[in-house]
Amino acid sequence: MKIRSVYPIRYVAQQTGLSTHVIRVWEKRYKAVVPQRTESNRRMYCERDVQRLKMLKTAVKVGHSISQIAGLSAEELMQLVNLDGPDAPEVSPAREPGSLDSAYFYGRSLSAVLNFDAQGLESVLDRAAVHLSKMELIKAVIGPLCRKIGELWEQGKLKVINEHMTSSIIHSFLWNMLRSAEVSETSPKIIIATPAGHQHELGALSIAIVACESDWQSLYFGPGLPAEEIAAAVAYADARAVALSITYYENSHQLNLEIKKLRRYLGDEITIFIGGQGAMSLVDSFDAAEIQLLKDVDSFRIALNNLRKLQEG
Ligand code: B12
């Protein structure tokens, strides 16, 4: 009998509590569940796929590694899950000491970086994506990890290669997460970039994901974008707002000029949000009518919700 695959990925995410990002990564990397595809190439899952994903999630939660269990048959998985649960504690102390919270994943990521273990770092981040929300992951693992790396590098305790390895893994992890975010096509659009001359882009990628979490369509244009290009992107996409990430702190004439230019090109209708570790360098040069300087990703979410209400109401 042919099994009907009728569930789209969003529904499967709701049913399993896994994010669409994790479901796709488990498919791509481990072939954990390979759904059928529609003619337009959309993934469609059947009930058996949903049950399998639920079992995989339970097994990962008690400490099994997805790379080791992804190939198990349904019966083997069932046995594994029954051995460990359903009343088993969330974490099996024999396999994994400590609770699987953000502090745990931060610690594991840092030790992978210090050991120059690229695969280890990838796998810790993949596991963290199962246990933590995207906001927790960004605020309590990725941000602090990068700051710590900066500190260690400054003190000469870490090599540039460890930092480069970490940046490139985090970049592709965040990029995949952003690509797999699902936002309604009718949601308002926001352009995300870093200004010309600013090469740190992990903050920009993070806020692009945060905007999707607030149900905005993020159009991500990467680092070092001149004001005229940002303005062209806004016009092209009919975006409602721009968010710029500034990590490098400098009181530079060049940066002020870029932002003044952007304000001029965009007129009064488009909101410009600016944040990041270096954003406070702008505080004395702009007033609240020109740009909204935000201190963190939580204030960004509040500001996005307020703007949306204002524009819709
Ligand atoms: C990785 C890194 C790099 C990588 C970047 C790779 C990449 N693809 O992005 C590379 C090697 C390219 C790099 C280059 C440089 N770097 Co660097 N780098 C870092 C490091 C280690 C991590 C930064 C990072 O990505 N963090 C991760 C993200 C997720 O965190 P975040 O940016 O803070 O973003 C969070 C919040 O701030 C917020 N946020 C960010 N943007 C926005 C926007 C809005 C609207 C809102 C609401 C919130 C928000 O949300 C994010 C999630 O919570 C930091 C150390 C540190 N303390 O951060 C140094 C650091 C930032 N770098 C530094 C320096 C000096 C440089 C260089 C000048 C080095 C050099 N001599 O060439 C160049 C500058 C290049 C340039 N012109 O921009 C200094 C900056 C000092 C200063 N004056 O500000 C730091 C602090 C290192 C140090 N301790 O000295 N760097």
Side-chain angles (χ1 to χ4, degrees), residues 142 146 163 167-168 170-172 174-175 178 192-195 197-209 220-225 243-248 277:
I142 290 175
C146 291
E163 181 275 305
S167 302
S168 78
I170 292 181
H171 183 279
S172 78
L174 291 173
W175 175 245
L178 177 62
I192 316 256
T194 81
H198 285 253
Q199 292 310 318
H200 296 93
E201 70 168 315
L202 304 181
L205 268 171
S206 302
I207 60 159
I209 294 165
Y220 180 70
F221 286 92
L225 217 60
L244 298 179
S245 171
I246 300 177
T247 306
Y248 183 50
Q277 294 176 48

Side-chain angles (χ1 to χ4, degrees), residues 138-139 142-151 153-154 160 163-164 167-168 170-171 174 197-204 206-207 210 223 242-250 273-278 292 294-301:
I138 287 170
K139 285 197 302 185
I142 290 175
L145 177 69
C146 291
R147 273 193 293 282
K148 184 73 189 171
I149 288 166
E151 235 175 79
W153 171 73
E154 218 177 2
V160 169
E163 181 275 305
H164 280 202
S167 302
S168 78
I170 292 181
H171 183 279
L174 291 173
H198 285 253
Q199 292 310 318
H200 296 93
E201 70 168 315
L202 304 181
S206 302
I207 60 159
V210 171
V242 169
L244 298 179
S245 171
I246 300 177
T247 306
Y248 183 50
Y249 186 101
E250 54 168 356
F273 298 113
I274 302 190
Q277 294 176 48
Q292 279 197 36
L294 299 169
K295 72 174 176 13
D296 54 29
V297 287
D298 293 320
S299 26
F300 186 39
R301 291 197 74 173

Side-chain angles (χ1 to χ4, degrees), residues 237-268:
D238 191 22
R240 293 281 167 272
V242 169
L244 298 179
S245 171
I246 300 177
T247 306
Y248 183 50
Y249 186 101
E250 54 168 356
N251 193 357
S252 105
H253 182 59
Q254 182 58 32
L255 178 61
N256 286 355
L257 271 182
E258 277 295 307
I259 293 174
K260 295 260 180 219
K261 247 201 287 181
L262 180 63
R263 180 71 285 166
R264 227 181 27 251
Y265 291 150
L266 294 181
D268 297 335

Side-chain angles (χ1 to χ4, degrees), residues 26-39:
W26 283 5
E27 175 192 336
K28 215 166 132 194
R29 290 220 188 115
Y30 312 109
K31 308 264 177 294
V33 166
V34 181
Q36 293 187 2
R37 299 275 183 157
T38 62
E39 274 174 16

